[in-house]
Amino acid sequence: MKTTVEIKKMGINGEGIGYINRKVVFVKGALLGETVEVDAQQYKNKNYYFGDLIRVVQASPMRVKNPCRANKECMGCNLLHYAYPAQLKHKKDLIKESLKKYTELDRSQIKIHDIVGMNQKKEFLTQVNLPIVDFKGKVTFGIYQRETKYLTVMTHCLKHHPLINQTLLDLEEILNNTKCKTYNDKFRTGLRFIKIRVFQDKIQLIFITGKDGLKDEVVAGIKKLKYVSGLFMSINTAKYQDFEKQGYKKIFGNSKEELYVDHQKYILSVKSSLPDHIEAFEVENKIIKTMIKESQKVISLNCGNGILEMNLPQEVVAIDNKKENIEDATYNAKALGKDNIRFVYGDSLKKMVPFAKKKDYDTVIIRGINRISDELKDTLRLGKVKTVIYVNSSTSMLAKDLQELSKYYKVIEIKAVDSHIYQSYVTSIVKLIKK
Ligand SMILES: C[S@@+](CC[C@H](N)C(=O)[O-])C[C@H]1O[C@@H](n2cnc3c(N)ncnc32)[C@H](O)[C@@H]1O
C-alpha cells in the first residue's frame, strides 16, 4: 500500500516511526519530523507495518547528504543521513526511552547528561576483522549482511583508518596476482579471515587460513609494503570462529607494538585488546575517573589492556580472563611505575568475590559485558561495594540491568559517549550508589 506518513519519533535502530490508521509503521531512512511517501506492508499476525521509503516529501532540516560510498549496500551505519547534533540528541532520547520502557525508575531523579560527541568522525577505526571472500571472481574482503547472503566489500569504509583501506586494496592485489583462493570448507584449504590493526603509521596483519597456510609469494608481496610492521598467521580449520584461542605464528616483524593513549606510550602484544576508537576510549576513561573520586579501593572487571586502571590514583585490583591482556597490563604498569594496581588473570566474577567482601573495596567498575548475571547481582548485593560504575553500549540492555540493580542501588547519573558513530548504540557510563 502506497501512502504518506509523518515521522513522529525515531526507533531504536535509527528508523523513523509514524502511524497508518493508528498502527505503527517503521520506515528505514526516514527522520524525525519528515513527511515521507512509503510502500507499507503489514506482515501476517503483526500489528504494525514496515514502510519502504519511496520519497521524502518534506525533509528534516537535519537531513544531510550521506557521506559514505558504501553505505547503500553495507547498512552497517543507520544514521549517516542525520546531522551530527541530531544523532547525539537521538542517542540521548534512546537512553531516556529505554529507561521509560524497561524500568520503573523515577527519571527526574537521574541526571542524564548530553552525549559527548567525537571530534574524529571519520577514519578513526583502528582495527578490522574481515572474512576473505570471492566477489565477481576476485578475492577481496567483505561482510555478509545480517539475515541475508548479501555481501559488502569493505575496502572503502569511511570509518576505517586510511591505512586499513590502503592495506585492503594492496592485499587484494597481492592475493589476486598470486592466485590465492578463499577458504573451501570441504577441502579445508584457502584463506579465511584477515585481522588488521593500526599502531600510529604501522599495520599489524594476521591471516587465519586453511591447512595450506600462506604462500611464499604472498609473504614476499606483503614484505614490500613498508607500512606493515608485523605479519602473523594461524591455521584454523575448525567450525568455531574464536580464532584467538589458537596461537598466532609470527612470520616476520615486531611481536609488540606501541599504542599511544593520552600521549602515554603502552606496549601491546598481538593478542592484547586494542580500543576501536582511541578518542572515545580516552573520553570514557576520563568520565569513569571523575566518577570515582571518593573511593578507597577499586575492583575493575573485564579490564582489557588495563589502560584505564593504570591511570586511576586509587588502589585497584583489575581482572581479565585473557592472559595476554594481563601480561601486557602488568608489564606496562611496571614500566610506568604504577604500584597501586594489581592485575589478576581469571574469571572476573570468581576473582572479585574475596575483594567484594572487604569493606575497603568500595567501588566496582563493570565493563565489557552484555548483561549483568545473577551471580554478579548477588555478589554486589551481599558484598560491601558502595559505588558501581556500569558501562554498557546497548540502551535496552543497560535499562534492564538498571531496573535490577536499582533494588539495591540508586542510579545517580548517566554520562554517555558517542563511541559508535553513525550507529544506534551509545556507550553509557552509569554511577550507582548503594541504598
Ligand atoms: C570489550 S573488552 C573491554 C575491555 C576494556 N574494559 C575496555 O573498555 O577497553 C571485554 C574484555 O572483557 C574480558 N572478559 C570477557 N569475559 C570475561 C570474564 N568472564 N572474566 C574476565 N574477563 C572477561 C575480555 O578478555 C576483554 O578483555
Side-chain angles (χ1 to χ4, degrees):
M1 164 188 36
K2 282 189 186 164
T3 185
T4 302
V5 175
E6 274 178 40
I7 302 300
K8 299 287 186 196
K9 58 181 187 174
M10 298 287 284
I12 53 167
N13 296 312
E15 70 282 51
I17 296 179
Y19 296 90
I20 299 173
N21 301 330
R22 297 212 174 134
K23 283 186 185 156
V24 164
V25 54
F26 297 99
V27 188
K28 240 189 213 171
L31 296 174
L32 180 66
E34 290 189 327
T35 306
V36 290
E37 195 185 338
V38 298
D39 186 2
Q41 294 109 37
Q42 185 174 13
Y43 289 101
K44 255 193 205 155
N45 309 324
K46 300 266 195 248
N47 210 15
Y48 50 83
Y49 294 90
F50 283 109
D52 285 335
L53 180 64
I54 300 173
R55 176 171 81 91
V56 179
V57 179
Q58 177 74 53
S60 157
M62 289 298 169
R63 180 173 281 279
V64 293
K65 190 170 172 287
N66 184 337
C68 181
R69 274 165 65 181
N71 186 248
K72 264 223 164 77
E73 309 97 61
C74 172
M75 298 181 291
C77 297
N78 48 11
L79 298 172
L80 277 162
H81 55 305
Y82 219 4
Y84 195 59
Q87 288 182 35
L88 297 181
K89 177 165 181 315
H90 163 60
K91 293 186 185 195
K92 187 172 175 181
D93 289 344
L94 280 183
I95 296 176
K96 289 185 185 165
E97 280 284 318
S98 295
L99 291 179
K100 189 169 157 193
K101 185 164 175 192
Y102 298 110
T103 77
E104 288 152 15
L105 292 167
D106 178 357
R107 296 187 301 285
S108 69
Q109 295 297 306
I110 305 171
K111 176 114 185 78
I112 304 171
H113 298 260
D114 286 342
I115 312 293
V116 183
M118 292 292 102
N119 294 315
Q120 214 185 339
K121 296 187 261 302
K122 278 183 184 177
E123 305 184 339
F124 55 83
L125 204 61
T126 55
Q127 57 189 338
V128 293
N129 195 353
L130 292 170
I132 304 176
V133 293
D134 271 311
F135 185 64
K136 297 185 179 166
K138 209 164 101 176
V139 176
T140 185
F141 312 92
I143 45 175
Y144 287 96
Q145 295 314 321
R146 252 176 292 161
E147 295 151 30
T148 71
K149 289 242 164 210
Y150 201 84
L151 176 81
T152 303
V153 173
M154 289 300 290
T155 48
H156 289 92
C157 174
L158 113 164
K159 298 200 291 192
H160 288 174
H161 187 288
L163 259 186
I164 292 184
N165 285 341
Q166 180 64 51
T167 308
L168 290 169
L169 291 172
D170 288 341
L171 287 179
E172 200 179 76
E173 197 177 320
I174 293 171
L175 300 185
N176 286 294
N177 286 346
T178 53
K179 306 214 167 1
C180 284
K181 295 265 183 293
T182 56
Y183 189 65
N184 181 312
D185 255 335
K186 192 168 152 211
F187 300 115
R188 300 188 170 193
T189 57
L191 303 175
R192 284 188 94 173
F193 276 84
I194 181 84
K195 283 171 187 263
I196 306 178
R197 314 209 308 164
V198 186
F199 293 91
Q200 318 285 77
D201 52 355
K202 297 268 182 296
I203 286 284
Q204 186 176 63
L205 274 182
I206 303 133
F207 275 91
I208 312 294
T209 76
K211 60 187 180 194
D212 50 342
L214 269 187
K215 291 183 186 184
D216 291 345
E217 305 99 282
V218 172
V219 175
I222 293 173
K223 255 193 185 147
K224 286 190 193 141
L225 305 175
K226 290 291 167 238
Y227 55 79
V228 176
S229 61
L231 174 63
F232 298 78
M233 65 163 286
S234 179
I235 292 181
N236 190 319
T237 58
K239 277 235 153 30
Y240 68 85
Q241 296 198 350
D242 185 2
F243 301 120
E244 286 205 348
K245 273 196 179 155
Q246 274 183 242
Y248 295 150
K249 182 178 153 208
K250 184 166 92 174
I251 301 181
F252 70 77
N254 303 337
S255 299
K256 305 209 179 233
E257 295 291 348
E258 293 176 355
L259 172 73
Y260 284 82
V261 176
D262 276 321
H263 309 289
Q264 177 64 59
K265 183 172 86 182
Y266 301 90
I267 306 292
L268 293 192
S269 57
V270 63
K271 277 196 178 177
S272 216
S273 300
L274 175 70
D276 287 338
H277 189 320
I278 306 288
E279 184 191 353
F281 182 67
E282 290 173 346
V283 174
E284 282 166 35
N285 288 352
K286 275 191 192 109
I287 292 175
I288 296 173
K289 218 171 148 178
T290 60
M291 282 185 175
I292 48 177
K293 260 186 207 140
E294 310 292 322
S295 175
Q296 301 168 43
K297 293 186 185 178
V298 179
I299 308 168
S300 184
L301 310 185
N302 307 345
C303 66
N305 54 33
I307 292 176
L308 160 73
E309 293 76 4
M310 272 176 248
N311 288 286
L312 294 176
Q314 293 87 354
E315 230 177 272
V316 186
V317 55
I319 311 165
D320 199 280
N321 68 358
K322 196 164 159 190
K323 209 164 97 239
E324 293 78 7
N325 277 337
I326 294 299
E327 283 168 2
D328 285 355
T330 307
Y331 173 88
N332 286 316
K334 193 163 176 224
L336 295 170
K338 309 272 180 185
D339 51 12
N340 54 329
I341 174 149
R342 205 166 120 199
F343 286 103
V344 175
Y345 167 53
D347 181 65
S348 285
L349 194 58
K350 291 200 181 95
K351 296 285 179 185
M352 78 176 284
V353 171
F355 298 101
K357 283 183 182 161
K358 290 185 193 164
K359 215 167 149 198
D360 45 352
Y361 282 90
D362 62 356
T363 298
V364 167
I365 303 169
I366 306 171
R367 291 185 296 164
I369 56 172
N370 293 330
R371 288 295 306 273
I372 294 192
S373 65
D374 288 342
E375 293 105 295
L376 180 51
K377 270 177 238 154
D378 284 346
T379 308
L380 293 172
R381 183 169 57 86
L382 301 169
K384 303 268 192 267
V385 174
K386 276 207 304 252
T387 304
V388 171
I389 312 293
Y390 181 32
V391 184
N392 195 317
S393 293
S394 154
T395 54
S396 54
M397 300 298 173
L398 176 84
K400 288 175 189 171
D401 278 344
L402 291 184
Q403 172 62 19
E404 290 289 309
L405 288 175
S406 65
K407 290 177 190 157
Y408 320 105
Y409 287 86
K410 182 172 166 35
V411 181
I412 307 295
E413 61 176 335
I414 303 179
K415 290 188 174 178
V417 180
D418 190 25
S419 28
H420 299 267
I421 295 183
Y422 308 127
Q423 295 178 310
S424 290
Y425 298 102
V426 59
T427 303
S428 299
I429 304 169
V430 188
K431 180 171 181 171
L432 303 104
I433 295 200
K434 206 156 206 172
K435 285 180 177 169

